[in-house]
Amino acid sequence: MGLYWSLGGSGFPLGLLNDPIAQYSAFRHATASVAGPVIAILSFLGAAALFMFKFNMRGIARTILLFYAWSAATILCFAIPDTRALIGVAYAPISLIAVLFGRSLNYFDFFTWPVINQYICLVGGLLWAATALSFQRQTRNACAYCGRKSDASRRIVSSSVMHWGRWVTYVAILAPAYYDITRIAWLLGIPLGVTKELYQSLQDSGAVWAGAGLALVSIGGAVLTHGLIKPWGETFPRWFPFWAGKRVPVAAAVVPAGFVCILLTVSGIQVFFQFFWSPDFENWGASTPLLLMPIWGIALGVATIFYYFRRQQHSSHCSQ
């Protein structure tokens, strides 16, 4: 794809200065002619690194491979995606509800090739992280499932996570409340934190309904986040069809939560810079709730890690 873009192919996912949503992306100034060959070279080096992962590397070679793998994961997950990736995920349930009521939001028109490529890069970053973690455990003779070398270390980590994880989870639950309150207030006819002119514009365009829909999605996410510290987050409740009483797969909670926390953190940082360069205190109800997105994303990520380690206590694969 890097070679294709460097030769003038469409779908280049970076450097979109003419898109107001993407203008605060980390690579907004990138061009296909320059970035395309760089992408191709880095991909070639990545393939070579993956081949070297087959061997039990030690010393400086192991350090170099892990540095490359974690760097690739970080760049693909946190640098390339922008706010459009979060918008695509957040509006999915709203568009589905609209279809059920006979209305169309032209949801799939949003998924241009640049946006699709961002999701591909994000999935690739998660796979790089999983590969790096697996290689890291193999080369230090740790358990492939929990990553620890002894029961003592397991108890120490679990005790620390159990102490702080619950409070961090509550931060992740409450972080979007400010946003939810303002958007629901607009739907109820209360122009909370916005001028009358902007509120009238939001009503005329139907944006108040979209904002309320996002607030409901946020509330639903808060409920699922609460499951990270509740028994029903580990075992499906009795009323749950087909899987009642069965253990919740760890990946079923960790993967989507991790995916969302990355999008929230990346988008939140870009929104912060946008507010920093052009603050809008007159319409504080529209702008300032978004400043909590980085806190929301980071807290959700930590809460997910807490959940992962707590569930690993029940792993039957660890040989230690």
Side-chain angles (χ1 to χ4, degrees), residues 46-194:
L50 289 172
F51 176 78
M52 298 301 293
F53 281 162
K54 295 171 59 178
F55 305 98
N56 192 16
M57 293 288 181
R58 299 290 180 177
I60 187 65
R62 175 181 183 270
T63 302
I64 293 174
L65 288 175
L66 285 175
F67 176 79
Y68 185 92
W70 285 116
S71 298
T74 302
I75 293 173
L76 289 170
C77 288
F78 293 98
I80 292 180
D82 55 47
T83 310
R84 292 171 297 174
L86 177 62
I87 292 174
V89 173
Y91 273 94
I94 299 176
S95 299
L96 177 60
I97 295 174
V99 169
L100 295 178
F101 283 92
R103 300 186 62 182
S104 175
L105 300 180
N106 299 318
Y107 175 69
F108 290 103
D109 294 343
F110 172 81
F111 288 96
T112 60
W113 269 113
V115 176
I116 294 173
N117 283 328
Q118 288 190 22
Y119 289 119
I120 294 174
C121 290
L122 180 56
V123 172
L126 295 174
L127 292 175
W128 266 110
T131 302
L133 184 62
S134 176
F135 178 75
Q136 188 171 309
R137 289 174 174 178
Q138 290 176 6
T139 52
R140 68 185 186 97
N141 298 322
C143 175
Y145 293 90
C146 69
R148 300 181 181 86
K149 290 186 176 182
S150 67
D151 290 336
S153 64
R154 177 192 295 269
R155 286 192 297 269
I156 292 173
V157 175
S158 297
S159 176
S160 175
V161 171
M162 287 292 291
H163 179 71
W164 294 104
R166 181 174 294 271
W167 293 105
V168 175
T169 304
Y170 282 121
V171 172
I173 294 172
L174 296 175
Y178 181 24
Y179 176 91
D180 301 340
I181 291 172
T182 56
R183 272 53 182 178
I184 293 176
W186 297 349
L187 182 65
L188 297 177
I190 304 172
L192 180 62
V194 293

